[in-house]
Short mmCIF file of all heavy atoms in Angstrom, two decimals:
data_model
loop_
_atom_site.label_atom_id
_atom_site.label_comp_id
_atom_site.label_asym_id
_atom_site.label_seq_id
_atom_site.Cartn_x
_atom_site.Cartn_y
_atom_site.Cartn_z
N GLY A 273 28.12 6.99 -16.34
CA GLY A 273 28.04 6.03 -17.37
C GLY A 273 27.48 4.76 -16.91
O GLY A 273 26.42 4.77 -16.22
N CYS A 274 28.06 3.64 -17.39
CA CYS A 274 27.44 2.29 -17.26
C CYS A 274 28.60 1.29 -16.99
O CYS A 274 29.70 1.42 -17.43
CB CYS A 274 26.57 1.92 -18.33
SG CYS A 274 27.28 1.75 -19.92
N GLN A 275 28.19 0.15 -16.53
CA GLN A 275 29.08 -1.01 -16.44
C GLN A 275 28.37 -2.19 -16.16
O GLN A 275 27.30 -2.32 -15.59
CB GLN A 275 30.11 -0.75 -15.19
CG GLN A 275 31.10 -1.82 -15.02
CD GLN A 275 32.05 -1.93 -16.19
OE1 GLN A 275 31.78 -2.75 -17.10
NE2 GLN A 275 33.22 -1.20 -16.28
N LEU A 276 28.94 -3.36 -16.68
CA LEU A 276 28.40 -4.71 -16.47
C LEU A 276 29.56 -5.34 -15.65
O LEU A 276 30.62 -5.47 -16.07
CB LEU A 276 28.16 -5.43 -17.82
CG LEU A 276 27.68 -6.93 -17.61
CD1 LEU A 276 26.26 -6.86 -17.11
CD2 LEU A 276 27.74 -7.55 -18.94
N VAL A 277 29.14 -6.00 -14.48
CA VAL A 277 30.02 -6.69 -13.75
C VAL A 277 29.63 -8.17 -13.44
O VAL A 277 28.45 -8.43 -13.60
CB VAL A 277 30.30 -6.12 -12.34
CG1 VAL A 277 30.86 -4.62 -12.49
CG2 VAL A 277 29.01 -6.01 -11.44
N GLU A 278 30.52 -8.99 -13.30
CA GLU A 278 30.30 -10.40 -13.07
C GLU A 278 30.65 -10.72 -11.68
O GLU A 278 31.78 -10.42 -11.25
CB GLU A 278 30.98 -11.28 -14.11
CG GLU A 278 30.72 -12.85 -13.89
CD GLU A 278 31.32 -13.72 -14.91
OE1 GLU A 278 32.20 -13.11 -15.76
OE2 GLU A 278 30.99 -14.86 -15.06
N ILE A 279 29.78 -11.49 -10.95
CA ILE A 279 30.07 -11.86 -9.57
C ILE A 279 30.54 -13.30 -9.44
O ILE A 279 29.71 -14.20 -9.89
CB ILE A 279 28.80 -11.63 -8.64
CG1 ILE A 279 28.20 -10.22 -8.79
CG2 ILE A 279 29.21 -11.92 -7.17
CD1 ILE A 279 29.28 -9.16 -8.41
N ALA A 280 31.70 -13.60 -9.03
CA ALA A 280 32.22 -14.89 -9.10
C ALA A 280 31.67 -15.68 -7.89
O ALA A 280 31.09 -14.96 -6.91
CB ALA A 280 33.71 -14.87 -9.09
N ALA A 281 31.94 -16.97 -7.79
CA ALA A 281 31.40 -17.79 -6.66
C ALA A 281 32.09 -17.27 -5.36
O ALA A 281 31.48 -17.56 -4.26
CB ALA A 281 31.64 -19.24 -6.95
N ASP A 282 33.22 -16.86 -5.41
CA ASP A 282 33.99 -16.26 -4.24
C ASP A 282 33.75 -14.86 -3.84
O ASP A 282 34.46 -14.28 -3.05
CB ASP A 282 35.40 -16.63 -4.33
CG ASP A 282 36.03 -15.82 -5.40
OD1 ASP A 282 35.40 -15.17 -6.19
OD2 ASP A 282 37.39 -15.89 -5.46
N ASN A 283 32.70 -14.18 -4.59
CA ASN A 283 32.26 -12.87 -4.46
C ASN A 283 33.29 -11.83 -4.98
O ASN A 283 33.32 -10.61 -4.54
CB ASN A 283 31.86 -12.50 -3.03
CG ASN A 283 30.61 -13.08 -2.59
OD1 ASN A 283 29.76 -13.16 -3.49
ND2 ASN A 283 30.39 -13.57 -1.42
N THR A 284 34.32 -12.23 -5.73
CA THR A 284 35.14 -11.34 -6.46
C THR A 284 34.35 -10.72 -7.62
O THR A 284 33.43 -11.31 -8.11
CB THR A 284 36.47 -11.86 -6.96
OG1 THR A 284 35.97 -13.09 -7.82
CG2 THR A 284 37.27 -12.34 -5.89
N VAL A 285 34.69 -9.47 -7.91
CA VAL A 285 33.84 -8.71 -8.91
C VAL A 285 34.70 -8.39 -10.19
O VAL A 285 35.84 -7.79 -10.01
CB VAL A 285 33.28 -7.39 -8.34
CG1 VAL A 285 32.39 -6.72 -9.31
CG2 VAL A 285 32.54 -7.65 -7.06
#
Side-chain angles (χ1 to χ4, degrees):
C274 63
Q275 183 58 270
L276 182 70
V277 299
E278 182 177 10
I279 309 299
D282 63 355
N283 284 325
T284 55
V285 186

